[in-house]
Amino acid sequence: MTYQLVREILPENPYELVDHIFKKIDGAYSEATMRAYRSDLNDYVDFCHRLNFPCFPTPVEAMVAFIEDCSARRLSVAFIKRKLTAITSFHRFCRLRSPVSDIDVQLAMRRLVREKGMAARQARGLSKRMFDDFIATTRRDIHGFRDRALLHLAYSTLCRRQELVDLLIEDLRFHPDGSGMVHQRAGKVDKLKRGRWIYLQPYVMKAVTEWLEVSMLKEGPILRGIKKNRKASPGRMCLTAVSRSYKRMARKAGYPEDVINEISSHSTRVGAAQELLESGASLLQVMHRGGWSLPQSVLRYVRNADTLYDYPLWRYEHYSLGRKNRDSEGQEAPLMQMPKIGLG
């Protein structure tokens, strides 16, 4: 049926083919993946229309030209690879052979990598000092209560923005000492939706409770948008509003524009991971807290790789031992072998 659909629709309306395939795969992938696939495929179809290339199946020359066009638009190598992955997946959904595996396409990508390199733009980590500066800009109004709850939840849970706005009021648990827990029902790497419970410090629960009292929310998403009448919206907070809120607080705190441009919805996740490592947490602890499945993922978020080759606790014990032996024997203690963390 799919082959017949390709022959009938492709020559005049590839957008309908895209819509049909998206209905076919609906529910099989996360909302974020579906959104990225649609964005990348629409970008590719627009390119093919512009240069009169057939879209699906994609000829090799069109794929090479698309890579060159993406490079001319100064897209990163990682972003271009994501687009090629979407195109490959779409061909597979249509039971078509993908041109991405062709040697000419592979050579075009190798040239691109050699020219641009693989360095990816990293969101600026929100340090504890920046976090405190952001909190100081919030007021005692509904926007301020929401922003404080947003910052505290994001920094404490290390949730990605989709996971953050999906947290529900009915999944909060309150402890007698003022602390609490929140159940994250699903995540990017939790495809089977096993969920996980995340501990929240008393000051985090205080910020969340104050927001819920002011907004008079009893159920549904914890984080919401705020309407013009200063009431919480019925639906969850918009994904892009997370980044906009951080940038707004950064401007109020007086940060320069070049710093603000590096802040995104991922800044709390990056900054919290950096702070945990610098405070002595192990890589395994950070992975568990942030819901990472691979150590390589954590390494991408931490700029100072020295903190990973061991932690402040190890350095304290190592140098304390060295000083003790030097004082007692008059010479420096032999260096201990640095524990290695697998990068591959």
Side-chain angles (χ1 to χ4, degrees):
M1 177 179 177
T2 308
Y3 281 113
Q4 181 181 2
L5 181 67
V6 170
R7 288 197 299 269
E8 290 178 356
I9 296 180
L10 175 60
E12 55 188 21
N13 198 342
Y15 291 104
E16 290 186 19
L17 175 61
V18 172
D19 290 338
H20 172 82
I21 294 299
F22 268 81
K23 291 177 183 177
K24 173 182 177 180
I25 66 175
D26 184 39
Y29 294 88
S30 69
E31 182 180 338
T33 299
M34 297 282 281
R35 186 170 56 249
Y37 273 176
R38 184 173 286 278
S39 172
D40 294 338
L41 289 169
N42 285 340
D43 182 34
Y44 174 67
V45 172
D46 291 343
F47 165 80
C48 289
H49 277 183
R50 217 166 52 239
L51 298 184
N52 294 320
F53 280 120
C55 295
F56 307 109
T58 299
V60 172
E61 55 270 23
M63 199 75 264
V64 173
F66 181 64
I67 293 172
E68 294 172 349
D69 179 75
C70 289
S71 177
R73 286 186 279 159
R74 298 184 178 181
L75 301 184
S76 69
V77 173
F79 196 17
I80 296 172
K81 282 188 172 183
R82 194 193 83 172
K83 291 179 179 294
L84 297 192
T85 299
I87 294 170
T88 298
S89 298
F90 191 83
H91 278 74
R92 189 174 70 251
F93 298 147
C94 294
R95 297 185 175 88
L96 298 171
R97 181 179 177 181
S98 171
V100 175
S101 59
D102 187 271
I103 185 60
D104 286 346
V105 177
Q106 296 296 313
L107 289 173
M109 281 304 300
R110 288 183 68 89
R111 282 192 290 268
L112 183 66
V113 171
R114 288 178 62 85
E115 174 190 348
K116 287 180 170 286
M118 286 294 293
R121 181 175 176 267
Q122 173 68 62
R124 176 178 286 269
L126 200 68
S127 67
K128 189 63 172 65
R129 181 180 63 82
M130 293 179 69
F131 177 89
D132 292 339
D133 290 343
F134 284 19
I135 290 290
T137 66
T138 60
R139 298 177 296 181
R140 302 290 295 180
D141 59 10
I142 190 169
H143 286 89
F145 284 110
R146 195 280 310 275
D147 288 344
R148 282 192 292 277
L150 167 65
L151 278 171
H152 280 295
L153 274 176
Y155 213 75
S156 297
T157 63
L158 277 80
C159 282
R160 302 166 182 88
R161 63 175 185 174
Q162 183 72 60
E163 300 163 352
L164 188 63
V165 301
D166 283 343
L167 296 177
L168 300 177
I169 298 171
E170 45 266 44
D171 290 336
L172 286 169
R173 298 294 182 270
F174 297 85
H175 296 162
D177 63 354
S179 65
M181 299 188 78
V182 64
H183 187 240
Q184 180 189 320
R185 297 192 179 189
K188 180 180 178 181
V189 298
D190 184 15
K191 295 180 172 55
L192 299 181
K193 296 188 176 181
R194 297 186 179 93
R196 64 182 182 123
W197 285 97
I198 305 172
Y199 175 75
L200 302 177
Q201 295 278 3
Y203 60 86
V204 180
M205 292 301 295
K206 180 176 182 291
V208 173
T209 302
E210 288 178 344
W211 154 244
L212 296 179
E213 289 175 352
V214 168
S215 60
M216 295 184 290
L217 296 173
K218 303 297 182 183
E219 60 182 6
I222 298 174
L223 298 172
R224 313 285 185 102
I226 298 174
K227 298 185 290 186
K228 291 182 179 180
N229 62 359
R230 297 185 178 274
K231 300 290 184 182
S233 63
R236 69 188 182 189
M237 189 176 184
C238 174
L239 293 177
T240 56
V242 177
S243 177
R244 289 199 304 268
S245 297
Y246 295 164
K247 290 177 182 290
R248 184 183 68 252
M249 287 183 276
R251 287 193 177 90
K252 286 183 179 180
Y255 283 91
E257 282 298 319
D258 60 329
V259 172
I260 294 172
N261 291 336
E262 294 178 356
I263 294 174
S264 75
S265 56
H266 238 57
S267 291
T268 46
R269 184 170 167 82
V270 175
Q274 292 171 343
E275 291 288 337
L276 281 172
L277 287 166
E278 290 174 7
S279 68
S282 69
L283 183 61
L284 183 61
Q285 288 173 318
V286 178
M287 289 174 61
H288 176 73
R289 185 73 188 201
W292 283 287
S293 58
L294 297 171
Q296 299 95 306
S297 302
V298 184
L299 294 176
R300 285 201 302 268
Y301 293 118
V302 182
R303 290 181 173 178
N304 186 5
D306 177 65
T307 60
L308 296 177
Y309 279 90
D310 210 290
Y311 311 100
L313 179 61
W314 182 90
R315 290 197 292 271
Y316 173 79
E317 294 174 347
H318 169 66
Y319 289 116
S320 295
L321 177 62
R323 284 194 298 272
K324 183 184 297 183
N325 289 350
R326 183 177 62 245
D327 292 341
S328 60
E329 301 176 8
Q331 60 181 0
E332 182 65 77
L335 289 176
M336 291 188 289
Q337 180 66 36
M338 190 76 77
K340 294 181 180 179
I341 296 174
L343 302 178

